[in-house]
Amino acid sequence: MKIVRFKAAGKTRYGVLDGTHIVEYSGTPYGTFKKARKRWPVKQVVLLTPVVPTKIVGLALNYREHAEEMRLAVPEEPLIFLKPLTALCGPDDPIIYPSQTNRVDYEGELAIVIRKRCRHATPERAREYVLGYTCLNDITARDIELREHHRTRAKAFDTFCPIGPCIATNIDPNAAEIETWVNGERRQAGNTKGFVFPVEDVVARVSAVMTLLAGDVIATGTPAGVGPLQPGDRVEVRIDGIGSLKNPVIK
């Protein structure tokens, strides 16, 4: 199932992708979620962020190759940070290049979407708390990050968290191909088999720190190959079984 959140006829709705159409559902995917009769052509709706979380948790250096390209040690514990909700933007929404930075990087990632309240989950039961997975681009002001040796400001600008286009409920998150393309050229390619901490471990370790609520997002880190964006670029994150998240970059 590929769950979407979309706007049609002036109303925000949930549905499930079915080829070139969306089947509308009543309720939410975190509770009662029932198929309705209405079908909408995808081309006639606006796809929104598939989730409205209470928090966005990020992981740093969760691929060994990315740690190596950044010349940093592979962490023994997950390195976590938070992105503000104001950083969220959806499919085809513009990423705004801030005036305070001289280098803005893409970071294509698999994101976990939490299904229900989760606290102190064990790795063995972690999947019970997961609704599904989506594409996320952890946009980063790299010069600020390197200067401050801290991630918050570098990753917190408005529009620095594109997410979508859907929540896929039946993929293997620990064996997913992930790519980032800029202007039609592949810049980043990896597989979540390269995780330092697999999805089950990530959910367990993050929920040992903070209570995760329905709709919360955990970005699982980026593979090697991060690089800069410029105003006028179009960046795309592709993950097998989920789809494609595309966003233009503007000044």
Side-chain angles (χ1 to χ4, degrees), residues 6 28 52 70 97 104 116 134 185 236 245:
F6 65 101
T28 77
V52 184
M70 300 303 290
Y97 200 112
V104 171
K116 61 182 181 179
T134 191
E185 177 185 349
E236 176 184 3
L245 171 66

Side-chain angles (χ1 to χ4, degrees), residues 22-243:
I22 297 171
V23 179
E24 187 173 336
Y25 273 59
S26 62
T28 77
Y30 314 105
T32 303
F33 198 50
K34 292 185 177 180
K35 185 176 180 180
R37 293 183 180 181
K38 184 69 176 176
R39 290 171 60 88
W40 301 85
V42 173
K43 291 184 178 180
Q44 294 181 13
V45 309
V46 176
L47 289 178
L48 306 173
T49 59
V51 292
V52 184
T54 71
K55 52 189 164 293
I56 306 159
V57 183
L59 260 69
L61 308 179
N62 198 31
Y63 291 80
R64 287 177 176 82
E65 295 82 0
H66 177 54
E68 290 169 2
E69 75 175 347
M70 300 303 290
R71 300 180 181 178
L72 295 169
V74 174
E76 295 183 4
E77 291 283 337
L79 299 177
I80 64 175
F81 58 91
L82 296 174
K83 289 176 85 86
L85 302 188
T86 46
L88 283 172
C89 65
D92 296 312
D93 287 342
I95 298 164
I96 300 170
Y97 200 112
S99 60
Q100 299 97 314
T101 178
N102 294 314
R103 175 161 170 168
V104 171
D105 280 13
Y106 56 80
E107 293 191 9
E109 307 193 8
L110 176 88
I112 304 165
V113 179
I114 298 299
R115 182 170 67 88
K116 61 182 181 179
R117 189 180 188 276
C118 176
R119 178 67 167 150
H120 293 302
T122 62
E124 294 75 21
R125 299 192 62 182
R127 293 282 191 101
E128 297 175 19
Y129 298 94
V130 175
L131 173 64
Y133 309 90
T134 191
C135 303
L136 185 146
N137 198 340
D138 179 20
I139 303 296
T140 303
R142 189 69 68 199
D143 54 341
I144 294 175
E145 181 186 43
L146 294 175
R147 183 172 69 242
E148 297 186 349
H149 304 289
H150 197 278
R151 296 179 175 88
T152 299
R153 186 151 70 108
K155 294 175 176 285
F157 288 96
D158 289 356
T159 74
F160 269 28
C161 191
I163 188 169
C166 66
I167 304 166
T169 61
N170 54 0
I171 71 164
D172 181 354
N174 295 318
E177 295 287 337
I178 178 169
E179 299 176 336
T180 304
W181 294 68
V182 179
N183 302 328
E185 177 185 349
R186 191 174 72 173
R187 301 281 183 85
Q188 195 173 27
N191 190 295
T192 57
K193 290 178 181 178
F195 278 158
V196 177
F197 302 100
V199 160
E200 297 81 1
D201 209 13
V202 168
V203 173
R205 290 174 185 250
V206 173
S207 71
V209 176
M210 64 189 80
T211 300
L212 297 168
L213 302 177
D216 282 353
V217 170
I218 306 174
T220 57
T222 194
V226 299
L229 295 168
Q230 299 295 334
D233 286 346
R234 187 165 181 83
V235 60
E236 176 184 3
V237 178
R238 301 178 186 173
I239 301 179
D240 283 350
I242 299 174

